[in-house]
């Protein structure tokens, strides 16, 4: 049905709200520009805050037009999710909690509701209540969309930081020309084991390494899945042209590997990182000579 035919009392509450939003777009955006959520995020100029408010009003009108005021997945919200995420992130960086950001979102309703009441003063009380309810539900859904988006962005940030921490906690050390090592400390899980493999293989390529040492002295325990990841890392390094040596296998880990029935017969193992380095140097043809104690041989 054309918009002019659904105006006033003939329109459904959602369509009446749609018409109101389009008619009062400028006034709503002007009022929102003075609210903390807009004022403290868009600080370059007030006009910037007004324009951002207009974008949100347009999105709400589109949702109301589809009569999906209760649906956070309505197509109209798609265009403002990124903006809402930026706004939520900016307020979080300013030190506001999720509850405080939610309160600022809730504060967007009263200015709009006051305009709607003024527009509907000639309408019957029942009609006013229906339209006010539709508007409240619509703004509540906007609030829900904003919080969902903020939580999603927050989880994505946590995942990125976790990956960065895994990379930092998995350093590759160049011990000698052609020899690199990864000293592992702490618990190994599947995600970290995957990072170890990727980091080590990249180092083998970058350093043109012939030997790669995986030192697990600081790893308290290894389960079957992690052990399989280590085996895959050894095999992948071999495919890259490097021999992988595992050092620092603790007694408890050795017993676990035996109980699991894992075959490490093709994997070079050494008791310590020093032993592994000595093996690699010997294979490279380097001679290791222990220096005589100071004064030895003097009479």
């Amino acid at each position: 049905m054309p918009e002019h035919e659904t105006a006033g009392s003939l329109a459904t509450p959602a369509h009446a709200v749609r018409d109101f939003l389009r008619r009062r777009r400028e006034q709503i955006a002007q009022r929102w520009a003075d609210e903390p959520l807009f004022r403290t995020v868009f600080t370059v100029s007030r006009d910037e805050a007004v324009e951002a408010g207009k974008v949100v009003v347009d999105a709400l009108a589109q949702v109301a037009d589809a009569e999906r005021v209760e649906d956070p997945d309505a197509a109209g919200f798609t265009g403002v999710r990124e903006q809402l995420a930026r706004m939520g992130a900016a307020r979080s960086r300013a030190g506001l909690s999720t509850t405080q950001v939610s309160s600022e979102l809730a504060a967007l309703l009263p200015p709009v509701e006051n305009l709607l009441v003024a527009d509907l003063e000639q309408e019957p009380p029942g009609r006013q209540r229906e339209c006010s309810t539709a508007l409240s539900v619509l703004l509540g859904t906007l609030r829900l969309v904003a919080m969902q988006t903020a939580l999603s962005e927050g989880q994505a940030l946590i995942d990125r930081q976790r990956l960065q921490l895994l990379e930092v906690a998995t350093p590759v050390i160049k011990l000698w020309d052609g020899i690199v090592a990864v000293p592992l400390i702490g618990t190994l899980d599947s995600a970290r084991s995957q990072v170890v493999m990727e980091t080590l293989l990249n180092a083998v390529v970058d350093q043109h390494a012939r030997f790669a040492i995986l030192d697990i002295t600081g790893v308290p325990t290894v389960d079957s899945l992690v052990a399989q990841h280590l085996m895959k890392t050894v095999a992948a390094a071999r495919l890259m042209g490097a021999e992988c040596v595992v050092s620092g296998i603790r007694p408890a880990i050795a017993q676990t590997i035996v109980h699991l029935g894992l075959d490490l017969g093709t994997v070079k193992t050494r008791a310590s990182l020093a032993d592994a380095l000595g093996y690699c140097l010997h294979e490279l043809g380097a001679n290791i000579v222990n220096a005589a104690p100071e004064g030895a041989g003097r009479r």
Side-chain angles (χ1 to χ4, degrees):
M1 185 179 295
E3 182 178 333
H4 69 274
E5 292 182 13
T6 61
S9 299
L10 295 178
T12 64
H15 283 174
V17 169
R18 172 204 62 193
D19 298 340
F20 157 75
L21 291 171
R22 291 173 177 173
R23 186 170 60 251
R24 295 290 191 176
R25 177 174 181 262
E26 180 68 32
Q27 293 95 323
I28 294 172
Q30 291 287 345
R31 294 193 179 193
W32 277 355
D34 296 324
E35 293 295 325
L37 184 63
F38 283 84
R39 186 181 69 247
T40 56
V41 172
F42 300 96
T43 56
V44 175
S45 68
R46 190 175 186 279
D47 290 342
E48 182 187 20
V50 171
E51 289 304 313
K54 290 179 181 178
V55 172
V56 176
V57 174
D58 290 340
L60 293 174
Q62 183 179 346
V63 174
D65 183 54
E67 296 191 295
R68 297 175 64 184
V69 296
E70 298 179 352
D71 185 5
D73 295 322
F77 290 123
T78 303
V80 294
R81 285 185 183 273
E82 184 177 349
Q83 177 175 299
L84 293 172
R86 291 200 307 270
M87 294 166 68
R91 300 306 283 143
S92 296
R93 287 194 298 270
L96 272 70
S97 66
T98 302
T99 302
Q100 290 171 314
V101 175
S102 179
S103 296
E104 289 191 349
L105 286 161
L108 299 180
L109 174 60
V112 187
E113 196 169 36
N114 292 337
L115 284 173
L116 179 66
V117 170
D119 267 23
L120 298 178
E121 61 181 356
Q122 301 300 323
E123 295 288 339
R127 177 66 171 176
Q128 294 180 23
R129 285 194 299 272
E130 290 177 347
C131 294
S132 293
T133 299
L135 178 65
S136 297
V137 172
L138 179 59
L139 267 294
T141 306
L142 173 69
R143 183 179 174 188
L144 176 60
V145 169
M147 298 312 298
Q148 286 178 339
T149 304
L151 291 174
S152 177
E153 289 292 319
Q155 185 59 49
L157 176 61
I158 291 172
D159 291 342
R160 289 195 298 270
Q161 291 176 336
R162 181 172 180 271
L163 180 58
Q164 291 169 355
L165 287 173
L166 285 175
E167 293 172 349
V168 170
T170 313
V172 178
I173 302 171
K174 180 179 179 181
L175 299 179
W176 201 267
D177 285 341
I179 304 175
V180 295
V182 180
L184 299 175
I185 299 175
T187 304
L188 275 178
D189 56 16
S190 298
R192 191 180 179 199
S193 299
Q194 183 64 33
V195 172
V196 170
M197 179 187 293
E198 294 174 0
T199 304
L200 183 61
L201 295 181
N202 287 334
V204 167
V205 174
D206 295 340
Q207 302 292 336
H208 304 287
R210 288 181 54 193
F211 293 91
I213 301 174
L214 272 177
D215 183 67
I216 60 174
T217 304
V219 178
T221 185
V222 170
D223 61 19
S224 60
L225 193 58
V226 171
Q228 290 172 5
H229 274 294
L230 292 177
M231 294 289 289
K232 290 178 182 178
T233 301
V234 172
R238 188 178 294 123
L239 289 174
M240 300 294 291
E243 182 178 355
C244 194
V245 182
V246 180
S247 65
I249 298 180
R250 300 156 61 95
I253 294 177
Q255 292 179 29
T256 300
I257 291 175
V258 171
H259 289 157
L260 292 173
L262 298 176
D263 182 15
L264 298 184
T266 60
V267 180
K268 294 290 183 182
T269 59
R270 290 295 182 272
S272 66
L273 177 59
D275 292 336
L277 176 59
Y279 166 78
C280 296
L281 289 172
H282 176 74
E283 292 298 309
L284 287 175
N287 293 320
I288 304 175
V289 179
N290 292 326
E294 186 177 352
R298 295 180 183 177
R299 297 291 181 185

